[in-house]
Amino acid sequence: MTRSLLIFVVLLLSSQVYCGLNNGASSKDVGGRKRQSGGIDENIPVIEIRGEGAPMSSAQIRHLEEMDNGGPLDIKIEKTFVPAKCTNQAKRLDFITFHYKVFTEDNKKVYQTYGTGPVTIQLGTGMIMPGLDKGLKGMCPEELRKIRVPYRMSRKSKSKVWKHIPNDENWLIFNIEMIEIKPYSPEIQFKFLDLNEDSKLTNQEVQDFQKKMKKEFGKTWKNENIDNVSAAAYYIKYFDVNGDGDVTEKEWLKIMERDQKLINDSKTKEKGRKRDPGIGWILDFNNDGIVSYKENDEADERFESGPTLLPTESKDEL
């Protein structure tokens, strides 16, 4: 078959396939033959060609996840450099400081923190996308990692810190440089909450802390009916041992110690998420260490009623 004849046959078949896809109505193909209404001639081969196009939709990605060995796509970690000595590894609740470069799946750089300053977050408290929250754990100071984050684990609210990271990529690739890791302690947690560093928390300061978390990191209450005013009032009453309207570091540490003992002694663990040591600490109404779905749903009403477990100077309780 000559090249010109081959090209003619291909064009003829393409025209017939196109006609067969035209709304299923009865029509004549280019050869003048009548084809069956409602479909294409079964003798005509149909070849499907896929090409590059716009990023896949979330539905398409979910379909691919289901095909991935029956489970969802997960992050992929490549340890680029690990120091010979690791003083401590990053774990949940630690305060970590790191630089990053972020790329799209086709290796186009989107943003980097070099030149603007590193990011500091508390791991496992909702201050970063789930994929990085998971991928940063176990890192050492000075370690370098490449973390690939799939779409389902890259979702986050737009905020000051994360505003440069796109929300619609199939994969995001992060080059991470860990700068510093501060292990969690109640004392460091209080200093994190104490915005003006005066060793006490006020009602307004608690509200300002929540506003800061939302503005900078996109962290908000899971229960949309909760407002910062009622939450702050509840929080102060929960920790204010002497009832003067403020919470000193000493008072805060005493109540945290009391609650931690209750958590350790708890025999039941409800389904939910682990207790947040920040302002969200008050959501765990039964002090079992887990904020259950029921506790979260009822939180706005319980905040209005005030705490049932009040602080006290009793040595037995504190």
Side-chain angles (χ1 to χ4, degrees):
M1 182 180 292
T2 64
R3 180 179 178 82
S4 58
L5 179 58
L6 177 60
I7 294 174
F8 173 78
V9 171
V10 171
L11 291 175
L12 176 61
L13 291 176
S14 299
S15 299
Q16 291 174 331
V17 171
Y18 175 78
C19 291
L21 296 175
N22 185 20
N23 298 326
S26 177
S27 63
K28 290 185 178 181
D29 61 26
V30 293
R33 294 174 299 166
K34 196 79 172 180
R35 65 174 174 81
Q36 295 297 321
S37 177
I40 62 176
D41 191 322
E42 293 181 355
N43 295 322
I44 299 175
V46 178
I47 301 174
E48 184 178 5
I49 300 175
R50 294 180 181 270
E52 294 184 0
M56 291 184 291
S57 67
S58 58
Q60 290 173 310
I61 294 170
R62 285 194 295 270
H63 175 65
L64 288 179
E65 291 173 350
E66 293 170 357
M67 296 172 61
D68 184 48
N69 296 323
L73 295 174
D74 204 348
I75 62 170
K76 302 180 187 298
I77 297 176
E78 177 185 338
K79 297 183 179 181
T80 310
F81 170 76
V82 180
K85 292 184 179 180
C86 183
T87 53
N88 57 298
Q89 294 181 315
K91 58 187 181 299
R92 183 178 181 268
L93 303 187
D94 286 350
F95 293 90
I96 63 172
T97 300
F98 60 94
H99 273 298
Y100 72 86
K101 294 180 181 179
V102 59
F103 302 82
T104 60
E105 188 176 7
D106 57 0
N107 208 36
K108 178 183 177 182
K109 187 170 75 173
V110 177
Y111 181 72
Q112 67 175 19
T113 56
Y114 296 97
T116 60
V119 174
T120 298
I121 65 158
Q122 186 175 21
L123 267 178
T125 61
M127 295 174 65
I128 195 171
M129 69 175 65
L132 283 185
D133 219 356
K134 182 178 182 180
L136 292 168
K137 290 177 182 176
M139 288 193 73
C140 304
E142 300 181 5
E143 181 178 341
L144 304 178
R145 277 188 185 183
K146 178 177 287 187
I147 305 173
R148 300 176 186 271
V149 182
Y151 174 86
R152 75 179 186 92
M153 301 183 74
S154 68
R155 307 303 295 164
K156 67 215 162 299
S157 300
K158 286 293 185 182
S159 61
K160 182 179 179 180
V161 174
W162 310 124
K163 65 182 179 181
H164 301 287
I165 299 179
N167 255 339
D168 55 357
E169 293 295 323
N170 299 329
W171 287 89
L172 289 174
I173 304 168
F174 291 86
N175 289 346
I176 305 291
E177 178 187 0
M178 185 62 68
I179 306 298
E180 183 182 26
I181 300 171
K182 290 184 179 180
Y184 167 82
S185 71
E187 290 78 11
I188 291 179
Q189 185 72 52
F190 182 85
K191 288 178 172 57
F192 182 60
L193 296 167
D194 184 15
L195 298 179
N196 61 6
E197 301 179 354
D198 64 352
S199 297
K200 67 178 181 179
L201 302 177
T202 65
N203 183 300
Q204 187 59 52
E205 196 168 13
V206 172
Q207 294 185 51
D208 290 343
F209 180 85
Q210 284 302 104
K211 292 176 183 177
K212 177 183 178 181
M213 290 296 101
K214 180 179 180 179
K215 180 180 179 180
E216 296 191 3
F217 301 100
K219 180 179 178 180
T220 59
W221 297 103
K222 300 299 182 184
N223 181 340
E224 295 179 353
N225 293 322
I226 295 175
D227 65 84
N228 289 338
V229 176
S230 60
Y234 185 101
Y235 191 89
I236 294 297
K237 289 179 182 179
Y238 189 86
F239 285 95
D240 186 12
V241 175
N242 63 11
D244 67 351
D246 296 332
V247 177
T248 65
E249 182 175 2
K250 183 178 179 180
E251 289 175 318
W252 191 87
L253 291 174
K254 281 184 176 181
I255 300 304
M256 289 292 286
E257 182 181 358
R258 176 202 69 183
D259 287 0
Q260 191 60 58
K261 185 177 184 303
L262 292 173
I263 291 172
N264 295 339
D265 293 342
S266 176
K267 302 299 182 183
T268 59
K269 299 290 184 181
E270 298 184 67
K271 290 184 178 180
R273 66 182 188 277
K274 292 183 179 179
R275 195 170 187 175
D276 187 329
I279 305 302
W281 185 260
I282 52 178
L283 291 171
D284 183 16
F285 299 106
N286 65 356
N287 285 290
D288 68 346
I290 300 294
V291 178
S292 68
Y293 305 117
K294 186 173 185 293
E295 285 175 322
N296 184 71
D297 291 342
E298 296 177 350
D300 55 312
E301 297 176 1
R302 300 191 69 160
F303 284 173
E304 293 293 340
S305 301
T308 55
L309 180 60
L310 295 172
T312 172
E313 294 283 5
S314 170
K315 293 182 178 179
D316 293 334
E317 187 175 27
L318 301 180

